[in-house]
Amino acid sequence: MGEKESGTTPCELVHVAYLKDYAPPVKTADMSDGNYQHLEETPSEEHSPKADLSNGSIDPVIEGEPFTSYFDEKIPIPEDEQHTWFSFRKLWAFTGPGFLMSIAYLDPGNIESDLQSGSVAGFKLLWVLLVATIIGLLLQRLAARLGVVTGLHLAEVCNRQYPKAPRILLWLMVEIAIIGSDMQEVIGSAIAINLLSVGIIPLWGGVLITIVDTFFFLFLDKYGLRKLEAFFGLLITIMAVTFGYEYIRVSPDQGQLLKGMFFPYCEGCGTRQLEQAVGIVGAVIMPHNMYLHSALVKSREVNRANKKEVREANKYFFIESAIALFISFIINVFVVAVFAEAFFGKTNIEVHNECFNKTSPHSDLFPNNTDTLEVDIYKGGVVLGCFFGPAALYIWAIGILAAGQSSTMTGTYSGQFVMEGFLNLKWSRFARVILTRSIAITPTLFVAIFQDVEHLTGMNDFLNVLQSLQLPFALIPVLTFTSLRPVMNEFANGLGWKIAGGILILIVCSINIYFVVVYVSALGHVVFYVIAALLSVAYMCFVVYLTWQCLVALGLKFLQCGDTCPIGLTSNPELFLLNNMEKDDTPSNR
């Protein structure tokens, strides 16, 4: 590391500077998650700590306490000399983070999007679900690589790389997304509890129960990380079994299913089907999931000073994520296919009469008219019970409860990582849950008390819009930092990944903006239009700012701000220790 040139632009994305005339060696043993330099030529209020050079080495210099993972233990990776290219033993050791990440693809918001897709468009939008899942996998790959290579998760990198104002705005946006997701999980769990209790427990009672059960599940990680991951695996298995039962019970047309999955068409589709297709993409790709996955991969012991180990970890995490998302895709297909086969084209009067004939107490949910049936999580369980018996209703509710509870836990972890990363604020998990649950439950509880179930499930549309708006604040930073070679070393995105990643993020964000515009347009009140217009100006300014820095990171250097603008990219955006990564043959610590 040499001395910085005097002509270096003051534009600053990455708060890193060099110690003048000092270039000590970096020891491999120091390459742990917390050992990152945070140095500046001119200390500021924001970064006041100094490097301790008294012993001839550089100690970690980090503002406040060192960043810590939410997990206290790390899973060791076994050696397998017999299988150098691929080892099932190693894959098993790396298995866990991808499955926890995949739960966001199975939350109650996704399940509702699935059943609405089936009832509105039949099998015709299955290919959209497939494409959205593949796009999600590619984007999750970027998040996981960032965590493996740098030893920092996305929130921690944003904290070190962005100036203070954008950093705080990013934190607020991600927190809004987490709270929105938390509200959907509360709604889903409350509806499931209401259905399982045959209406004895009111919706507001189900909302309150979700507070208690969240604290109960938090005790599970006291028993070890692998047991916690096994519990999440159990919840995913419950969803697979319950929704799989519905799939077998309904017996969808396999030919139509395969045609809808692999032939990108939508014959006879109109505005309603288009909006549903957009909603599928918005429901599948969750902003806080990027932050979550980049942190979960830190739970494995990987010697980041050894390029071979880093490369190996990237490979196995990608394979594990692909398997996890494949399973989540199959579960989503179960739900879409059930409602496509049984309820596509059904009218309210048909469902009303069927429920009435089966003496269902819920027949009044469906108006006695010829309008097309509209379903949600609650009505979905009711119509399954009317057409396929009470067992179908209760099994559906069990699946929804598993989806809500598993998503609750991953949302809690996401919130902890984001708060620790952006603010370096160490709250206990219980304090964190109390805060986010209080914010999520308060409006949900009021709606559950003073309104009916249709208003409660109707909140999902608003929450999907809320989370769609936050997507750029996860996707743009993850592409920015994984494209910076000084941050990722030789693991930075190549030209192909830069172009593909940029195009994918542009498509996803454009689709979600369209979804938001459609939702706001349907509100039909001038006050909402004015508020939306004002918020859109501030929103777009921030998105443009992040996009500009991303484009510079992607290689468009002519956009660099020069000496006149203090908020852009620096010419040396790097994390200090990463540039001292050793060769492939560095001795392993395993």
Side-chain angles (χ1 to χ4, degrees):
M1 298 182 307
E3 180 181 348
K4 264 190 175 179
E5 295 180 8
S6 58
T8 299
T9 170
C11 301
E12 194 169 316
L13 169 65
V14 184
H15 295 297
V16 176
Y18 301 138
L19 288 175
K20 266 194 169 184
D21 302 321
Y22 186 78
V26 178
K27 300 177 182 178
T28 299
D30 291 334
M31 296 287 287
S32 60
D33 288 349
N35 292 350
Y36 281 87
Q37 296 303 324
H38 201 98
L39 312 173
E40 290 192 350
E41 289 178 322
T42 306
S44 63
E45 287 183 22
E46 202 175 342
H47 307 292
S48 56
K50 307 291 191 302
D52 180 9
L53 306 177
S54 58
N55 61 356
S57 65
I58 297 183
D59 290 333
V61 182
I62 301 175
E63 180 183 356
E65 297 181 51
F67 287 89
T68 58
S69 170
Y70 200 67
F71 305 112
D72 295 327
E73 65 172 304
K74 293 207 173 190
I75 306 301
I77 309 301
E79 289 289 351
D80 193 341
E81 301 293 342
Q82 296 180 345
H83 306 89
T84 56
W85 185 80
F86 181 82
S87 167
F88 282 103
R89 288 183 62 206
K90 289 187 176 182
L91 178 61
W92 178 249
F94 281 107
T95 296
F99 281 88
L100 269 67
M101 169 273 296
S102 72
I103 285 172
Y105 291 72
L106 295 168
D107 70 354
N110 274 288
I111 301 302
E112 181 161 285
S113 174
D114 292 336
L115 63 89
Q116 289 173 343
S117 170
S119 63
V120 166
F123 299 98
K124 298 175 184 177
L125 297 180
L126 276 174
W127 66 272
V128 178
L129 177 62
L130 175 61
V131 171
T133 304
I134 293 173
I135 291 175
L137 173 62
L138 298 178
L139 295 175
Q140 296 294 161
R141 172 188 179 271
L142 297 181
R145 286 172 68 87
L146 181 68
V148 171
V149 175
T150 66
L152 302 173
H153 58 71
L154 182 55
E156 291 173 332
V157 176
C158 288
N159 178 65
R160 285 160 169 75
Q161 309 296 72
Y162 284 118
K164 186 174 183 178
R167 187 168 71 231
I168 293 175
L169 283 175
L170 270 177
W171 169 67
L172 290 174
M173 295 298 101
V174 179
E175 287 289 355
I176 289 172
I178 293 173
I179 290 170
S181 176
D182 211 25
M183 289 180 70
Q184 287 185 314
E185 290 141 18
V186 169
I187 292 170
S189 297
I191 288 173
I193 292 170
N194 179 264
L195 288 172
L196 287 171
S197 67
V198 200
I200 295 176
I201 299 178
L203 289 171
W204 60 265
V207 170
L208 293 177
I209 289 174
T210 61
I211 303 176
V212 179
D213 60 26
T214 300
F215 286 106
F216 171 76
F217 288 130
L218 281 177
F219 285 106
L220 291 173
D221 64 6
K222 296 291 186 182
Y223 295 97
L225 180 54
R226 291 303 264 179
K227 291 183 177 63
L228 178 68
E229 292 172 347
F231 176 72
F232 279 105
L234 173 64
L235 293 177
I236 294 174
T237 302
I238 291 173
M239 285 185 271
V241 171
T242 53
F243 297 137
Y245 167 84
E246 308 287 0
Y247 181 84
I248 294 172
R249 182 73 177 80
V250 174
S251 299
D253 185 322
Q254 301 303 304
Q256 290 297 316
L257 186 149
L258 293 174
K259 184 179 179 182
M261 188 180 299
F262 296 110
F263 289 89
Y265 80 114
C266 194
E267 183 180 353
C269 291
T271 303
R272 192 178 177 201
Q273 287 75 22
L274 176 62
E275 291 175 3
Q276 189 60 49
V278 170
I280 291 172
V281 178
V284 166
I285 303 174
M286 309 285 283
H288 65 277
N289 217 27
M290 300 295 151
Y291 292 87
L292 174 67
H293 198 194
S294 65
L296 292 174
V297 296
K298 294 171 60 179
S299 61
R300 267 54 183 174
E301 279 187 4
V302 177
N303 178 15
R304 293 183 305 98
N306 186 305
K307 291 182 181 180
K308 181 181 178 181
E309 286 195 26
V310 173
R311 193 176 294 111
E312 178 183 81
N314 286 332
K315 178 180 72 175
Y316 283 108
F317 276 131
F318 180 73
I319 295 172
E320 186 239 0
S321 297
I323 294 171
L325 289 188
F326 174 75
I327 293 173
S328 72
F329 172 72
I330 295 300
I331 295 173
N332 282 312
V333 168
F334 285 163
V335 178
V336 175
V338 165
F339 284 84
E341 180 69 28
F343 306 113
F344 174 56
K346 284 282 193 299
T347 60
N348 285 324
I349 192 170
E350 290 178 275
V351 178
H352 175 87
N353 291 337
E354 185 71 23
C355 291
F356 183 79
N357 293 335
K358 296 289 180 63
T359 64
S360 169
H362 304 290
S363 58
D364 292 339
L365 276 175
F366 309 98
N368 197 5
N369 58 40
T370 56
D371 291 346
T372 303
L373 174 68
E374 293 185 3
V375 289
D376 49 44
I377 291 178
Y378 186 80
K379 288 182 179 178
V382 171
V383 295
L384 284 171
C386 292
F387 280 82
F388 301 101
L393 186 153
Y394 295 125
I395 291 173
W396 168 263
I398 292 171
I400 296 298
L401 185 62
Q405 293 307 303
S406 59
S407 300
T408 291
M409 290 296 294
T410 55
T412 300
Y413 284 122
S414 298
Q416 188 75 14
F417 291 136
V418 166
M419 181 171 285
E420 286 183 357
F422 277 109
L423 304 182
N424 195 19
L425 184 60
K426 303 299 185 294
W427 282 24
S428 71
R429 64 202 68 186
F430 298 103
R432 168 72 202 178
V433 171
I434 289 173
L435 175 65
T436 54
R437 280 276 135 159
S438 299
I439 297 173
I441 282 175
T442 301
T444 310
L445 187 60
F446 275 105
V447 174
I449 292 173
F450 298 108
Q451 299 290 342
D452 54 22
V453 68
E454 292 190 35
H455 287 85
L456 189 63
T457 55
M459 288 178 67
N460 272 326
D461 292 333
F462 170 74
L463 295 173
N464 282 334
V465 168
L466 189 67
Q467 292 177 86
S468 295
L469 283 170
Q470 314 310 321
L471 265 177
F473 307 124
L475 302 186
I476 295 176
V478 78
L479 179 62
T480 299
F481 299 129
T482 54
S483 297
L484 285 171
R485 186 174 178 81
V487 170
M488 296 289 289
N489 204 278
E490 71 176 48
F491 297 97
N493 296 328
L495 180 60
W497 269 101
K498 289 179 181 179
I499 295 173
I503 292 174
L504 288 178
I505 289 174
L506 178 63
I507 291 173
V508 170
C509 291
S510 299
I511 287 173
N512 281 277
I513 294 299
Y514 172 80
F515 181 58
V516 172
V517 170
V518 168
Y519 179 83
V520 173
S521 300
L523 295 177
H525 200 290
V526 66
V527 174
F528 292 126
Y529 295 153
V530 172
I531 294 174
L534 294 175
L535 292 176
S536 296
V537 173
Y539 175 85
M540 289 307 299
C541 287
F542 191 34
V543 171
V544 167
Y545 167 78
L546 295 176
T547 304
W548 162 51
Q549 296 191 96
C550 183
L551 290 174
V552 176
L554 291 175
L556 302 181
K557 300 301 182 184
F558 65 90
L559 293 175
Q560 215 161 333
C561 56
D563 294 328
T564 59
C565 182
I567 56 173
L569 285 163
T570 178
S571 58
N572 294 292
E574 58 188 293
L575 293 173
F576 170 68
L577 288 179
L578 292 180
N579 283 337
N580 294 273
M581 186 176 284
E582 299 290 344
K583 298 179 181 179
D584 289 356
D585 57 356
T586 300
S588 173
N589 290 336
R590 292 177 190 165

